Amino acid sequence: MRIENPYIPKLATIEKIITETWDTKTFRAVFKDEELRESFTYEPGQFQEISVFGVGEAPFCLTSSPTRKGFVEFSVKKIGSVTSALHEIDEGATIGIRAPLGNWFPYEEFKGKDLWFIGGGIGMAPLRSLLNFCLDNRKDYGKVNIIYGARSSGDLCFTYEFDEWQNSPNTELFLTIDKEEEGWNKNVGFVPAYVMDLKPSPKNAIAITCGPPIMIKFTLQNLKELGFEDNQIWTTLEMKMKCGIGKCGRCNIGPKYVCVDGPVFSYAQLKELPPEY
Amino acid sequence: MEAKVILKQDLAAWIDALVKQYEVIAPVTEDGVVVFRPVSGLSEMAIEGMVGPAKSLREHFTPPTETLFDYKLEDLSAEVIPPENEERHRVIFGARACDAAALLYVDAVYSNVEPIDTAYFMRREKTYLVGLFCDKPAWSCFCTEVGDFLTNPVAMDVYLTDLGNRYYAEPLTPKGEELIGLGNFRPADENDKAANEEIRRKALERLPKRAEHETACLSYDWDHPVWIELAKKCLSCGACAFLCPTCHCFDIQEHPKLKKGSRYRCWDTCQFEKFTLMASGHNPRETRKERTRQRVFHKFKYSQERYCMLGCVGCGRCIAACPVNIDIRKVLEELEKTAVAK
Amino acid sequence: MRQKAKELLESGEVKVVIGYGQGSAPFKSTPIFIEKPEDAHKLIWNPTCVNNLTVYLRDACRQGKAAIVVKPCDARSIIELIRENQIERDDVVILAMSCPGVLNLDALAEIDLADVKSVEWHQNGIAIKTNAGETIIPSEKAFASKCLSCELAESPIADEKFGEPIERHPIRSKYADIEELEKMLPEERRAYWARQFARCIRCYACRSVCPGCYCKECFTDKPCQLWVLRSTDVESNWFFHFSRAMHTAGRCIACGECERVCPMGIPLMRLNQKMRKEVREMFGEEAGTNPEAPPTLGTFDLKKDPDPCSE
């Protein structure tokens, strides 16, 4: 039996803050405890509970790849009390972290397959962890395709990594925005429609998607139409969470807890759950 | 383990002996309401002819509000201070069989995945239960529909039955024998055993028979009309959940006090609209239809799928407390009707 | 009443009739929502009809015209809802019952509830039929405490009245419960309420049944925790209940629902009665009497009520 109190966060320092868009920032944090900093490891798709002392705690996916060690990253859209507080802190500030939590993408199963990352807006954050993981283990995977869309070019995150992504061997980046914009020479249109234009082949392929619920809904439909099987489609769910360790009951969907049985689910697994997400 | 008997005139001395070694928590009547709280002797207790306690034992294992840790803030750093462990061992005296059985369910929830809930299990390990057979079931009781723990108690150390001028005591664990050892007990004779059997038989006669809620609820109906009916009258209060001995959901909140503060957890329920409301505004269980369904299915379906047990011990508190007379037995009946029809 | 409900539904005048149905035990009723004329027979009227159904009225009226079965005391809630612009008078058909008083469930403490067959009014109180026979519980014990001080012979607002007006002889002062509290020393009173609020589990049943508690978002549920903590310490519970009493001051019609549903037996009506008494003394009126009058605490006349701070 573990004696440690599972609700106590580990202290970490905000080392770097990247302003992604007008409402989104990415934070890089390092644990204060040196030993933990060295030993800490996680899997792509897992999440963490971030504490801003005096405000509260909220779950965020680990957007960094475990292949890049010594720090954790998380992207935050300013939307509630904890996210707003995070947007106000400076580099050097202390936060609390409980991590890693939840399950992860079965990247072993994805080996040797073509990957289609399909992200919308801030939904790219959890995909980025797996994406960079795969790019750092490039030889294990087939062609890597990234479809990434946002409302406008100004809403795209991780733009500073686009070059790295595009220039990786056998990797292609497809960008799209919802509406025409001056100077935009990439695709215009919603992500699900762009998926239909690009017609990914389901043959020996895996699709990993995350974004706003409406985008996921139509992307799933379209992938099915293109012949993707339920177990070829993976996503990561968002649900209100508090404890992150399967106790508080909040993220309960049917017999599952998103915080421990998820957040990563295949479409086949999702269909087994009551439609309450 | 051998059953014993204690005369009621010796009860006070036994309680006194327990109080010397343990914190004793027992039912007391306060402003007409029976609540479990620490006592210093028998005179404070409402054991004799006890009517149903308002609350279950839940608050003594997961308090309605519990500090998870305190913290201090300095310019750019913070210090986290874990709470002190409660050291004293406790005896809960007069526990109901249903409330004790509920602990097994909460045990499962809080230990199902690592890490376990340490604060809860620390209290569990340090607490011994002296149960009391319930010979006056309330109109809302249906424990016998969901299990046989009324006569085959679980999670208890001693089980008492009121035999009029004496208590029949079954020790169920070595710890129970030890507790009995502190009182003036004598071995139970054939007379005592017969009297004990008779009281149990009479109580069982009054209570409903074991029902097949397990199977009936597994073939469940997601869009059953009963959910719409419930949603119309349910007022989304938390009386059912907060009185329920198996309900275990909580919220985590911050209590900031300038340069310091604490994080605490407090009871929460899927019946409250904000339970699943996300910061984005999306709410997967937005209406009362979804929320009432969640509560019933969580207790009778999801609990079985995840923990292989029912999430209800039939204490009936939700039935008695519901301001609009939502009766979970009737809900189950409705569900079972269509389950049979299918 | 059933006939009228049936007619209202048949003619399409109302979409729903909110009334009482048979509950899950003979001494329990439950709110029902009749939408089909053929279901009108499910409506019941007996001493178990304790709920104040007007708590459902705002939502119902939003869907269309609704009929509602009310006791004279509950009808005052409708007056308040109209007065506070929560519903339109024309959106509701009030089916007003004559009410001798409703059952105080505690009165059945000595009766084997599993054995109860029916609960009916009796000239001397309430008649409980059991397998063993009939027991008459005298009025002063059988009825809810609010009924013992009831002065309403009939509903103050109605479209249809059922039953004869009832001659009232209150056997109890409206403010009987707060008299002893008022006599206490401040520290005794503080200790009294501290003990009560220590029991509160914050299930919010009191708030949920209150027809006057219709805020879209209660101050306790604000994500910003500056007002009141979710924690169940005495101070936070105290703050919650006192704030609620203040928010319903001048509006509470004393239906007693909050106290009835409190699973912890907190005598919440003592707070409300005190507020009602104060409002009556200061403003000379009681909530739930005049749908035309502006909200009591919404009236402030500088000439009549000079600001004591400026003097």
Side-chain angles (χ1 to χ4, degrees):
Chain A
M1 187 191 287
R2 218 196 282 190
I3 299 301
E4 211 172 311
N5 178 333
Y7 301 98
I8 293 187
K10 299 277 187 277
L11 296 180
T13 308
I14 296 288
E15 193 185 65
K16 192 176 164 196
I17 301 174
I18 301 161
T19 301
E20 300 278 2
T21 70
W22 64 280
D23 67 353
T24 304
K25 288 180 180 182
T26 295
F27 298 81
R28 174 178 290 193
V30 291
F31 286 109
K32 291 198 188 238
D33 184 289
E34 248 174 72
E35 210 176 298
L36 179 64
R37 205 183 308 162
E38 295 304 314
S39 64
F40 183 78
T41 183
Y42 57 97
E43 303 283 2
Q46 285 194 292
F47 73 99
Q48 52 193 335
E49 287 279 354
I50 300 290
S51 282
V52 181
F53 297 106
V55 182
E57 197 179 39
F60 299 96
C61 63
L62 280 141
T63 182
S64 44
S65 162
T67 46
R68 304 174 189 189
K69 289 200 176 298
F71 60 86
V72 293
E73 285 180 342
F74 53 99
S75 297
V76 180
K77 191 178 169 102
K78 190 173 170 174
I79 198 164
S81 52
V82 175
T83 54
S84 296
L86 279 167
H87 269 248
E88 279 175 25
I89 64 173
D90 297 317
E91 287 174 3
T94 297
I95 57 162
I97 298 180
R98 291 193 291 131
L101 303 169
N103 72 349
W104 52 88
F105 291 106
Y107 51 82
E108 291 291 331
E109 285 175 34
F110 297 172
K111 275 186 178 170
K113 294 183 176 158
D114 291 342
L115 304 180
W116 286 86
F117 289 90
I118 306 167
I122 186 74
M124 199 60 207
L127 301 191
R128 177 184 175 238
S129 179
L130 180 64
L131 171 60
N132 284 338
F133 177 88
C134 292
L135 296 182
D136 289 345
N137 294 289
R138 193 64 199 83
K139 59 177 190 336
D140 289 345
Y141 301 93
K143 191 180 174 209
V144 172
N145 305 279
I146 308 149
I147 306 176
Y148 182 27
R151 269 173 300 187
S152 72
S153 62
D155 288 300
L156 289 165
C157 299
F158 317 115
T159 49
Y160 44 89
E161 284 185 355
F162 286 177
D163 284 345
E164 186 192 328
W165 294 351
Q166 275 176 125
N167 297 335
S168 297
N170 199 19
T171 302
E172 218 169 334
L173 175 65
F174 304 95
L175 296 174
T176 184
I177 58 173
D178 290 358
K179 276 189 213 148
E180 293 277 4
E181 241 176 67
E182 219 180 286
W184 180 258
N185 56 8
K186 304 277 172 39
N187 189 67
V188 175
F190 295 126
V191 169
Y194 197 27
V195 170
M196 282 318 262
D197 294 343
L198 293 169
K199 287 199 175 40
S201 160
K203 202 177 158 224
N204 196 35
I206 292 286
I208 307 118
T209 180
C210 186
I214 191 80
M215 184 209 97
I216 297 191
K217 187 182 163 196
F218 287 107
T219 301
L220 287 177
Q221 267 180 25
N222 292 353
L223 286 170
K224 289 295 293 171
E225 206 179 313
L226 290 163
F228 276 78
E229 296 292 330
D230 293 342
N231 57 11
Q232 284 179 286
I233 307 170
W234 291 79
T235 187
T236 162
L237 276 193
E238 196 194 353
M239 200 58 184
K240 177 117 172 172
M241 290 179 192
K242 286 281 182 175
C243 75
I245 52 174
K247 309 283 184 279
C248 81
R250 197 164 301 264
C251 64
N252 171 254
I253 304 177
K256 302 286 183 192
Y257 284 115
V258 174
C259 70
V260 290
D261 303 309
V264 173
F265 292 95
S266 72
Y267 188 43
Q269 292 165 338
L270 274 190
K271 279 172 120 180
E272 297 288 307
L273 296 181
E276 286 194 328
Y277 41 86
Chain B
M1 275 173 267
E2 192 193 5
K4 303 243 169 111
V5 163
I6 187 170
L7 292 173
K8 282 193 176 168
Q9 67 210 48
D10 292 331
L11 191 63
W14 185 35
I15 304 288
D16 288 344
L18 291 173
V19 168
K20 270 195 196 123
Q21 285 191 28
Y22 304 96
E23 178 180 51
V24 176
I25 294 166
V28 301
T29 308
E30 181 185 292
D31 299 298
V33 184
V34 177
V35 286
F36 276 88
R37 59 174 53 138
V39 295
S40 56
L42 180 65
S43 60
E44 292 168 40
M45 293 162 46
I47 283 287
E48 196 69 29
M50 178 174 81
V51 289
K55 286 193 256 186
S56 69
L57 301 177
R58 177 182 175 191
E59 64 179 324
H60 297 290
F61 296 95
T62 56
T65 301
E66 179 182 7
T67 299
L68 296 172
F69 59 86
D70 295 310
Y71 54 81
K72 280 188 202 156
L73 301 173
E74 282 149 46
D75 279 346
L76 283 174
S77 80
E79 187 195 344
V80 168
I81 308 141
E84 302 232 348
N85 293 335
E86 291 157 28
E87 287 304 331
R88 207 160 170 218
H89 290 237
R90 311 179 297 180
V91 168
I92 296 183
F93 198 96
R96 295 279 170 132
C98 52
D99 292 340
L103 292 173
L104 290 192
Y105 178 76
V106 183
D107 288 352
V109 175
Y110 285 163
S111 64
N112 180 255
V113 280
E114 287 277 328
I116 64 159
D117 196 287
T118 39
Y120 170 81
F121 283 103
M122 220 163 322
R123 286 193 198 97
R124 275 287 275 133
E125 275 171 25
K126 288 180 179 169
T127 308
Y128 312 108
L129 258 60
V130 177
L132 179 60
F133 181 77
C134 188
D135 55 5
K136 287 191 198 67
W139 67 277
S140 45
C141 285
F142 65 109
C143 61
T144 42
E145 274 186 39
V146 291
D148 65 350
F149 46 80
L150 180 65
T151 42
N152 293 300
V154 292
M156 281 186 199
D157 296 284
V158 181
Y159 200 26
L160 301 177
T161 308
D162 188 338
L163 299 185
N165 65 342
R166 62 204 191 279
Y167 284 103
Y168 187 85
E170 284 173 84
L172 301 164
T173 62
K175 189 70 197 179
E177 288 205 306
E178 195 187 315
L179 295 178
I180 284 180
L182 296 172
N184 184 21
F185 285 82
R186 63 162 169 82
D189 58 29
E190 289 311 311
N191 247 340
D192 302 321
K193 283 178 188 163
N196 180 51
E197 286 307 311
E198 179 62 10
I199 282 177
R200 291 189 174 192
R201 194 186 55 77
K202 272 194 182 154
L204 285 179
E205 246 173 39
R206 295 194 36 164
L207 280 156
K209 300 274 170 292
R210 186 81 170 84
E212 293 298 316
H213 294 316
E214 285 90 343
T215 46
C217 261
L218 282 175
S219 63
Y220 73 123
D221 193 343
W222 190 249
D223 286 313
H224 197 284
V226 73
W227 307 128
I228 297 166
E229 286 309 306
L230 290 186
K232 280 184 193 163
K233 59 175 84 166
C234 175
L235 295 167
S236 279
C237 77
C240 50
F242 285 3
L243 296 186
C244 176
T246 62
C247 272
H248 53 270
C249 292
F250 58 84
D251 190 9
I252 297 179
Q253 289 279 335
E254 201 94 344
H255 185 188
K257 304 163 206 165
L258 287 178
K259 296 231 131 197
K260 56 181 186 170
S262 53
R263 186 164 298 160
Y264 63 93
R265 60 172 161 187
C266 54
W267 293 356
D268 203 351
T269 161
C270 57
Q271 299 308 290
F272 291 159
E273 188 180 349
K274 293 216 166 167
F275 190 68
T276 45
L277 177 68
M278 291 189 238
S280 63
H282 176 59
N283 193 347
R285 286 194 285 272
E286 204 172 2
T287 73
R288 286 168 180 169
K289 179 185 166 192
E290 285 108 42
R291 298 200 291 272
T292 48
R293 176 172 58 197
Q294 166 71 11
R295 191 175 138 76
V296 177
F297 276 166
H298 201 171
K299 303 234 167 277
F300 289 92
K301 176 174 161 52
Y302 308 152
S303 58
Q304 289 190 73
E305 292 166 343
R306 190 168 185 100
Y307 309 112
C308 300
M309 59 206 288
L310 284 177
C312 172
V313 292
C315 77
R317 286 187 182 88
C318 58
I319 299 168
C322 180
V324 297
N325 188 235
I326 290 176
D327 190 324
I328 198 160
R329 296 170 298 189
K330 301 283 168 196
V331 178
L332 292 172
E333 262 174 42
E334 287 298 316
L335 290 173
E336 280 156 24
K337 263 188 228 162
T338 52
V340 171
K342 265 184 188 173
Chain C
M1 182 257 289
R2 285 177 184 155
Q3 186 55 35
K4 183 67 196 173
K6 194 170 170 223
E7 283 165 26
L8 286 166
L9 288 164
E10 262 164 357
S11 69
E13 190 180 342
V14 300
K15 280 193 80 171
V16 62
V17 179
I18 307 170
Y20 302 95
Q22 180 56 55
S24 69
F27 45 87
K28 283 276 186 185
S29 69
T30 188
I32 52 169
F33 304 81
I34 307 286
E35 287 168 8
K36 295 182 204 136
E38 62 268 30
D39 287 340
H41 70 275
K42 292 182 183 167
L43 291 163
I44 62 161
W45 178 242
N46 64 38
T48 69
C49 299
V50 291
N51 291 53
N52 180 348
L53 300 175
T54 63
V55 68
Y56 298 111
L57 205 49
R58 287 174 70 253
D59 281 347
C61 287
R62 230 168 277 155
Q63 312 286 322
K65 195 164 178 171
I68 186 165
V69 177
V70 288
K71 304 187 284 289
C73 52
D74 304 337
R76 293 174 305 177
S77 293
I78 302 180
I79 293 177
E80 277 308 301
L81 289 169
I82 295 169
R83 189 186 184 195
E84 294 165 21
N85 294 321
Q86 294 305 312
I87 55 166
E88 300 278 346
R89 177 65 184 91
D90 293 341
D91 283 348
V92 55
V93 177
I94 303 166
L95 308 178
M97 311 304 291
S98 262
C99 172
V102 292
L103 176 69
N104 166 23
L105 207 51
D106 292 341
L108 304 187
E110 278 128 50
I111 291 177
D112 184 352
L113 288 176
D115 211 22
V116 173
K117 292 280 164 278
S118 73
V119 177
E120 299 293 341
W121 277 298
H122 182 272
Q123 58 189 18
N124 297 325
I126 290 177
I128 313 288
K129 280 207 181 88
T130 62
N131 286 335
E134 194 178 60
T135 313
I136 309 295
I137 304 179
S139 307
E140 61 273 19
K141 200 179 157 201
F143 292 138
S145 78
K146 65 172 175 178
C147 305
L148 303 179
S149 58
C150 182
E151 292 165 349
L152 295 165
E154 56 185 338
S155 177
I157 186 170
D159 292 297
E160 293 282 339
K161 290 189 179 177
F162 302 92
E164 292 302 309
I166 289 178
E167 218 177 297
R168 292 289 178 192
H169 307 287
I171 56 172
R172 202 164 178 271
S173 149
K174 261 195 231 180
Y175 306 111
D177 284 335
I178 54 174
E179 277 161 12
E180 73 180 287
L181 275 174
E182 283 175 333
K183 277 184 214 140
M184 287 181 184
L185 295 169
E187 51 270 33
E188 287 171 343
R189 207 152 49 224
R190 178 166 284 277
Y192 173 83
W193 283 115
R195 191 177 77 232
Q196 304 297 336
F197 295 141
R199 283 203 304 277
C200 174
I201 50 174
R202 297 281 281 278
C203 67
Y204 301 122
C206 50
R207 181 183 76 186
S208 303
V209 288
C210 179
C213 261
Y214 50 70
C215 288
K216 194 161 165 37
E217 186 174 39
C218 179
F219 72 101
T220 57
D221 288 340
K222 291 274 181 201
C224 150
Q225 290 292 299
L226 289 175
W227 283 108
V228 58
L229 295 173
R230 297 264 167 87
S231 61
T232 48
D233 53 282
V234 175
E235 288 85 48
S236 299
N237 294 346
W238 193 302
F239 189 87
F240 164 65
H241 288 293
F242 270 63
S243 301
R244 219 181 72 79
M246 293 297 171
H247 286 175
T248 52
R251 306 167 51 237
C252 166
I253 55 92
C255 65
E257 282 288 87
C258 49
E259 186 170 306
R260 173 183 72 87
V261 302
C262 178
M264 292 297 116
I266 303 173
L268 292 166
M269 277 311 288
R270 293 180 186 198
L271 289 181
N272 297 332
Q273 291 291 17
K274 177 69 179 163
M275 297 314 295
R276 279 171 62 80
K277 193 175 168 204
E278 299 276 318
V279 167
R280 198 186 60 171
E281 280 166 11
M282 286 183 196
F283 296 83
E285 62 174 62
E286 275 190 353
T289 47
N290 180 5
E292 307 291 332
T296 311
L297 299 195
T299 55
F300 186 72
D301 185 346
L302 256 184
K303 284 182 202 129
K304 273 203 270 174
D305 310 308
D307 177 6
C309 304
S310 68
E311 278 170 10

